[in-house]
């Protein structure tokens, strides 16, 4: 009976660890999405800067429409800095701000990956199932007949 309770306890702990790991994986996926969006933003800013003043671009307006606009001045970029607050930065400051944000998110991602590794280590070290004692083989309990067990 005690063995059954211990087995149930271990199974519950394993389920809890698996749930934690899955939750952290979901957070990592969300961070990856944010990183990709920020990288795409930097790439778009660089492309617009390279195109230069006076070039026409299509800007999405909603999900089904685009409007043509000319690049007038890319010296100033308005960047969201959190909680619906935006700041006007120079082009170089904006790119640096976004790249720094990517680095902060990557650092957090690394911490989450290490947490998952630690949870795996914890699960493998804490929940080892005790091995059954090996039964010594004798002639009577050996599954096959071998010549060295047969009487001469």
């Amino acid at each position: 009976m005690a063995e059954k309770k211990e087995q149930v306890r271990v199974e519950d702990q394993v389920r809890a660890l698996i749930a934690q790991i899955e939750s952290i994986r979901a957070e990592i996926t969300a961070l990856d999405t944010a990183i990709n969006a920020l990288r795409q933003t930097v790439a778009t800013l660089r492309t617009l800067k390279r195109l230069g003043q006076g070039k026409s671009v299509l800007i999405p307006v909603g999900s089904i429409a685009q409007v043509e606009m000319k690049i007038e001045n890319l010296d100033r970029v308005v960047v969201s800095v959190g909680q619906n607050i935006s700041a006007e930065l120079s082009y170089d400051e904006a790119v640096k701000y976004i790249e720094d944000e990517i680095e902060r998110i990557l650092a957090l991602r690394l911490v989450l990956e290490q947490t998952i590794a630690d949870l795996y280590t914890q699960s493998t070290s804490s929940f080892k199932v005790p091995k059954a004692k090996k039964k010594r083989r004798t002639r009577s309990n050996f599954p096959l007949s071998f010549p060295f067990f047969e009487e001469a």
Side-chain angles (χ1 to χ4, degrees):
M1 187 63 148
E3 288 177 13
K4 181 69 173 168
K5 284 183 181 180
E6 178 65 15
Q7 180 181 355
V8 169
R9 185 189 67 76
V10 168
E11 288 173 357
D12 288 345
Q13 287 179 333
V14 168
R15 276 194 218 70
L17 282 174
I18 290 170
Q20 280 183 300
I21 290 169
E22 291 305 315
S23 173
I24 293 170
R25 282 186 181 151
E27 288 180 46
I28 288 173
T29 299
L31 292 177
D32 287 342
T33 301
I35 290 166
N36 289 335
L38 290 170
R39 285 180 174 157
Q40 189 173 23
T41 300
V42 170
T44 301
L45 285 172
R46 288 185 174 144
T47 300
L48 290 172
K49 185 76 163 178
R50 191 173 54 251
L51 286 173
Q53 194 169 0
K55 295 288 182 182
S56 292
V57 293
L58 294 175
I59 305 293
V61 180
S63 62
I64 62 170
Q66 296 180 1
V67 295
E68 184 177 348
M69 295 187 158
K70 288 190 184 222
I71 301 172
E72 292 297 324
N73 184 3
L74 203 59
D75 293 336
R76 308 300 292 165
V77 178
V78 177
V79 177
S80 174
V81 293
Q83 294 298 72
N84 297 322
I85 298 172
S86 298
E88 185 177 290
L89 304 174
S90 72
Y91 171 84
D92 292 332
E93 288 174 328
V95 169
K96 173 93 171 87
Y97 178 83
I98 296 167
E99 288 174 339
D100 289 348
E101 187 65 19
I102 291 169
E103 291 303 315
R104 284 190 290 274
I105 295 172
L106 286 171
L108 176 57
R109 188 185 193 288
L110 188 62
V111 168
L112 293 176
E113 287 175 343
Q114 184 59 51
T115 302
I116 288 176
D118 293 345
L119 288 171
Y120 274 124
T121 301
Q122 178 185 346
S123 70
T124 57
S125 65
S126 298
F127 305 121
K128 289 190 177 180
V129 178
K131 293 181 181 178
K133 291 183 182 178
K134 287 189 177 182
K135 201 174 185 183
R136 185 180 168 143
R137 295 284 181 197
T138 63
R139 180 176 174 214
S140 61
N141 70 3
F142 204 84
L144 301 174
S145 176
F146 287 97
F148 54 85
F149 283 120
E150 293 178 11
E151 294 178 14

